[in-house]
Every structure is written in structure tokens, then in C-alpha cells.
Amino acid sequence: MAQQASDQDQPTIDRYIDALWLEKGLSDNSLQSYRRDLYQWSYWLAQRGSGVLLCGRADALDYLAEQRGQGKSARSTARLLSCLRGFYRYQLREGRLQEDPLANIEAPKLGRPLPKSLSEADVEALLAQPDDDIAIEQRDRAMLELLYAAGLRVSELVSLRFSQLGLEQGVVRVTGKGNKERLVPMGEEALHCLQAYLRGGRPQLLADGESDVVFPSRRGQMMTRQTFWHRVKLYAQRAGIRASISPHTLRHAFATHLVNHGADLRVVQLLLGHSDLSTTQIYTHVARERMQALHRAHHPRG
């Protein structure tokens, strides 16, 4: 239930909301969210005999700590702090305050969200779903195998051309972000599936047509990312995978499983085409969480 601002604070808060609408043109939903946060702040202060223009730094610290204690996430608390900061900067600008009660209060560290991945068993189940006797599913199997074996971005996969394949060497040459090229090994299973598809399913899909795209659509054109995403969802349902997955989930699984098996982080960085090692380091956190989960599940004192 929304809490009401104190009588002394409500005009001050409403003026600020009006200013937000005039100066920034925020949506009604955003304005209501700001108003709700500020009304709740005012209500809490009123219980302490204070108000939004009377409070101090200690009040703000206590309030934020209480919000975290009630189970609010670091992200929600950071958003609340941002709302309050904007409010007090406006009051300083308008000359209603001499000091900012939120000065030098740091926002909680959010960290980077861990990428969604799949277990190795889930990946095996997913890759086993396409039927090699159906041309379009043979294509899909080759795509899934290559996506997982080489850690490609879905845009790199659907736009793959014959000139990028090194079938004799078992590698694929990929042009990633920033037009940076990288050579990535396919692995034996992906190479085997790809060669079988090139001999069988692909000629059936093209029906005597021509295309330089390795994985054409039914119409012989480059497949869209959305189309492939729907194909992945189809096989995930068949495999009984309940988690929401996308083609990018297989790229994350590729990196996570490499790190789990001891691959050097800089090698994973090169394979993924990350320009900065810090981007790749997220997978060390994924591996650490997996180890902790295994320890909790199997150690007698976990």
C-alpha cells in the first residue's frame, strides 16, 4: 500500500515532480515512481519527527540501511538513492537547502549480472534434439553444434559465408565487433555435423538455388537472428529445458564450460573475441559459483 507524504512535505515533493515533468518530460509511470519513493521517504521521516527539508545524513543512512534490511536488492536501493539525490540537488538549486543530506553517500555496488548458462547435460540434451533426416533440422543441428563449439555470437553464425570456413584446418574465421577477425577451432563433432549438412541438408534446402550463406533459410536467404532464436526455443522445449534460453546462452555455455575445465582466461578471451579481459572475467565468477554450489550439495559440512 502506498504511503502518503506528510502535510508539510507534500507540496515540496509535488513541486519537484512538476519540475521533472517540465524539465525532463518523463513518462507518467516514471513520475509516479519518483512520487511514490519520495512520499515513502517523507512518511518514514515523519515517524521520526522530521521532514524532507529537515533531515540529515544520519537519517538518510538509516533509511537506506532499513530498506536493504527489508530485502530490497542493491539495484533497487541504488535506484532509490538516485531518486533522492535528484530531489535534493533540485532543492539546493532552488535555494531551499544549504547542505545536501545525501552528500558523500555511496551507492551500493551492483556488480555485473552473471550470464545465463546451461549445464553440460542440458547442452547435450539440446544438441540431440534435431532430426538429421529432416533437412532444416540437419541445418539447425550443425548451427547449434558450431555455436557451442566455437562460442560464436548469433549474428556471426547466421551471416557466416563459405569463404570463412576452413574445413581442412577445422577452423572458422569470424569477423566480430569492431571488424576484428579471429580464428576459432570448430571441434571434431561440430566439423562432422557441418560436413554432413553441407553434403545433405543444405542442397535440399536450396533446391538447386545458389547462396554463399552457409546456413540459408527456407527461401535461400540469410536467416534472421529472431528465426534462429525460435528454432532454439523449439529444441529446448523438446529437450525439457525449462529455463528461458536464447542462442546467446550457448555462447555463455561455451565460455563457462571451458573455464570450468581449466581453460586459461586469455585463451577464452581470444576465442570469444572480447577486446578487454575484464569482459571475460565474468566467467571466473560463474565457475566460482558453480564450485560453491557443488560444495554445498556434496560436502558433508557444506
Side-chain angles (χ1 to χ4, degrees):
M1 181 177 177
Q3 292 167 331
Q4 187 66 26
S6 69
D7 290 342
Q8 65 176 357
D9 288 342
Q10 186 168 339
T12 303
I13 293 172
D14 289 346
R15 274 196 300 270
Y16 173 64
I17 299 300
D18 289 342
L20 281 180
W21 178 74
L22 288 169
E23 295 174 8
K24 298 186 177 182
L26 298 182
S27 68
D28 287 342
N29 285 341
S30 295
L31 293 173
Q32 288 304 318
S33 178
Y34 279 109
R35 191 190 306 274
R36 185 166 52 249
D37 284 346
L38 291 168
Y39 275 14
Q40 184 173 324
W41 168 229
S42 169
Y43 179 86
W44 185 88
L45 286 170
Q47 310 310 302
R48 294 169 65 124
S50 186
V52 295
L53 299 182
L54 302 172
C55 65
R57 186 171 187 271
D59 294 311
L61 287 171
D62 287 349
Y63 182 64
L64 293 169
E66 186 175 302
Q67 295 298 304
R68 289 303 305 273
Q70 291 175 354
K72 278 202 172 182
S73 67
R75 190 169 300 279
S76 294
T77 306
R79 185 191 61 78
L80 172 61
L81 181 57
S82 175
C83 169
L84 296 178
R85 276 182 174 153
F87 174 77
Y88 283 108
R89 284 179 188 141
Y90 174 78
Q91 305 309 322
L92 287 168
R93 194 179 76 199
E94 295 296 305
R96 296 193 182 96
L97 281 178
Q98 297 301 314
E99 293 183 2
D100 183 355
L102 274 75
N104 301 319
I105 295 180
E106 294 185 3
K109 293 183 179 179
L110 301 180
R112 297 181 61 184
L114 296 179
K116 293 180 180 179
S117 188
L118 291 172
S119 68
E120 293 178 39
D122 281 342
V123 171
E124 290 294 335
L126 180 70
L127 297 180
Q129 297 312 306
D131 185 345
D132 286 341
D133 292 331
I134 303 172
I136 194 168
E137 295 203 10
Q138 189 180 37
R139 178 204 67 188
D140 294 345
R141 170 131 188 245
M143 294 181 79
L144 290 170
E145 290 280 359
L146 186 56
L147 192 64
Y148 177 59
L152 304 184
R153 298 179 178 93
V154 65
S155 56
E156 297 168 347
L157 179 72
V158 297
S159 64
L160 202 63
R161 309 279 174 172
F162 270 98
S163 59
Q164 295 174 256
L165 298 180
L167 296 178
E168 291 187 7
Q169 299 83 9
V171 297
V172 57
R173 179 170 52 83
V174 183
T175 303
K177 291 183 178 180
N179 289 323
K180 292 183 178 179
E181 287 193 354
R182 66 186 193 277
L183 279 177
V184 187
M186 299 183 201
E188 290 185 11
E189 189 64 30
L191 179 60
H192 171 76
C193 289
L194 179 60
Q195 289 173 326
Y197 156 71
L198 294 178
R199 290 192 302 268
R202 189 174 186 277
Q204 291 180 49
L205 282 176
L206 288 175
D208 299 325
E210 293 186 2
S211 174
D212 189 38
V213 177
V214 177
F215 302 111
S217 67
R218 293 178 187 271
R219 298 178 180 179
Q221 300 172 341
M222 190 175 82
M223 191 189 312
T224 65
R225 291 176 299 171
Q226 291 79 8
T227 297
F228 186 56
W229 180 73
H230 286 297
R231 302 298 296 174
V232 172
K233 283 187 67 177
L234 167 68
Y235 298 122
Q237 289 173 351
R238 285 190 194 173
I241 298 172
R242 295 184 178 180
S244 177
I245 71 169
S246 70
H248 210 64
T249 310
L250 280 172
R251 175 172 159 87
H252 290 316
F254 160 82
T256 303
H257 298 167
L258 280 176
V259 172
N260 284 346
H261 286 278
D264 182 86
L265 207 58
R266 290 198 177 274
V267 173
V268 178
Q269 176 192 2
L270 291 172
L271 293 174
L272 289 171
H274 287 162
S275 57
D276 192 334
L277 185 63
S278 65
T279 308
T280 317
Q281 284 173 333
I282 190 69
Y283 295 103
T284 62
H285 301 304
V286 174
R288 192 178 303 119
E289 285 213 340
R290 172 175 165 75
M291 285 189 289
Q292 290 171 344
L294 287 171
H295 185 274
R296 286 193 299 270
H298 300 292
H299 194 279
R301 294 186 181 273

